[in-house]
Amino acid sequence: MSVEVVIKDGAQTTGEGPHWEDSTRTLLYVDILNGGVIRWNAVTGQKEDKHFDEPVSLVVPCRKGGYIIGLGRKLAHFDWDSGKVTTLHEVPPKGSNDRFNDGKCDPRGRLWAGTMGHETVPANPEREKGVLFCLGLDGQLVSCVDKIDISNGLAWTEDNRTMYYIDSLPRKVYGFDYDIETGNISNQRTVVDFGEGTLGRLGYPDGMAIDTEGKIWVACYSVGKVVRFDPQTGKELRTIEFPALRTTSCCFGGKNLDELYVTCGREGASEEELEKYPLSGSVFKVTGLGVKGYPATIYEG
Ligand code: BGC
Ligand code: CA
């Protein structure tokens, strides 16, 4: 197993929302508070970015072309070449400065994306201001879970019967029964509880990816780790460490979907932290894990 830097200083604030586009071997991700959307071609090494005046929290390709981005409290369609941004939905404020955070498409191509309250310091937002939404294939936005602190990672099991979802401050990964035909969720339970007394070792659960063995890889914000958990037992299986503390998310990529791309942030880091972890904000690639992920799904609506 090895960890290497693939995009040094890939984000100035919080690098997030990695999405591997298989057809072009491109990694998409965002630099949230910098309003940046980045695409990096893994074959040529070419990096392109676009900037917005509001925080950008997620980027997902659309079947009809372009991307869906989370822009402040909006979900918008973005055409890279023309730069045209079309607002699809703007969700009502629950506090001041709440915004979208992580989002991902389910196996049918619905986009699930959640919000969070205003934060002046990372991992310390106004509590319970977040909502998890689902953007259906018909373009309608439905509010699905309320009173979330920091809406974060999402993943679906291979049989499409379970959705995993992270709220970072309760430090839990939830499981829901999932109806792939309707996108309905039910029967919320906790599948991984980071638990009391583990903040210093495990930090805050953030983004996640699922492998083809049904195990989840959770980025642990503030401790520089991605931990593989068994959602059946809630137990830790394996830990990968990074030379940057604010690990935010991960996705499988590469030709065989057996590489793990990991984003992290610099936002909120002290001079001392940046001196000790100069690679904060970079994008890392882990190879030789011996597991694979699924191709990322895109918005099909
Ligand atoms: C959010 C950050 C937050 C961090 C802490 C990220 O997903 O975008 O704003 O500070 O999670 O868990
Ligand atoms: Ca995240």
Side-chain angles (χ1 to χ4, degrees), residues 152-155 164-168 171-173 191-192 194 202-211 215-221 223-231 235-236 238-240 242 247-252 260 262:
N152 251 321
L154 290 152
Y164 298 123
Y165 174 52
I166 289 173
D167 186 353
S168 299
R171 302 177 62 239
K172 283 176 181 164
V173 183
V191 296
V192 179
F194 272 36
L202 290 176
Y204 300 93
D206 202 311
M208 77 174 138
I210 191 164
D211 65 35
K215 309 294 188 275
I216 53 175
W217 295 78
V218 180
C220 298
Y221 186 89
V223 293
K225 292 175 186 170
V226 171
V227 178
R228 186 185 195 223
F229 288 92
D230 185 341
K235 295 270 185 310
E236 294 169 50
R238 190 172 170 186
T239 299
I240 318 290
F242 297 84
T247 31
T248 54
S249 191
C250 56
C251 74
F252 284 97
L260 194 69
V262 179

Side-chain angles (χ1 to χ4, degrees), residues 135-209:
L135 179 67
L137 301 179
D138 58 1
Q140 297 301 310
L141 189 71
V142 181
S143 154
C144 298
V145 189
D146 217 344
K147 296 207 162 104
I148 298 296
D149 289 328
I150 303 183
S151 189
N152 251 321
L154 290 152
W156 287 264
T157 53
E158 189 177 23
D159 64 7
N160 295 334
R161 290 172 66 174
T162 305
M163 179 177 97
Y164 298 123
Y165 174 52
I166 289 173
D167 186 353
S168 299
L169 295 197
R171 302 177 62 239
K172 283 176 181 164
V173 183
Y174 299 116
F176 292 87
D177 291 347
Y178 199 68
D179 183 338
I180 190 68
E181 299 306 328
T182 61
N184 281 341
I185 52 174
S186 57
N187 187 26
Q188 179 175 359
R189 65 255 177 205
T190 298
V191 296
V192 179
D193 188 348
F194 272 36
E196 267 174 54
T198 62
L199 189 60
R201 189 172 63 81
L202 290 176
Y204 300 93
D206 202 311
M208 77 174 138

Side-chain angles (χ1 to χ4, degrees), residues 93-119:
K94 291 232 162 196
S96 55
N97 281 324
D98 20 327
R99 62 161 169 89
F100 269 99
N101 199 39
D102 210 348
K104 199 183 269 181
C105 290
D106 81 359
R108 284 284 162 86
R110 302 175 185 95
L111 174 68
W112 286 77
T115 56
M116 60 183 277
H118 178 58
E119 80 184 350

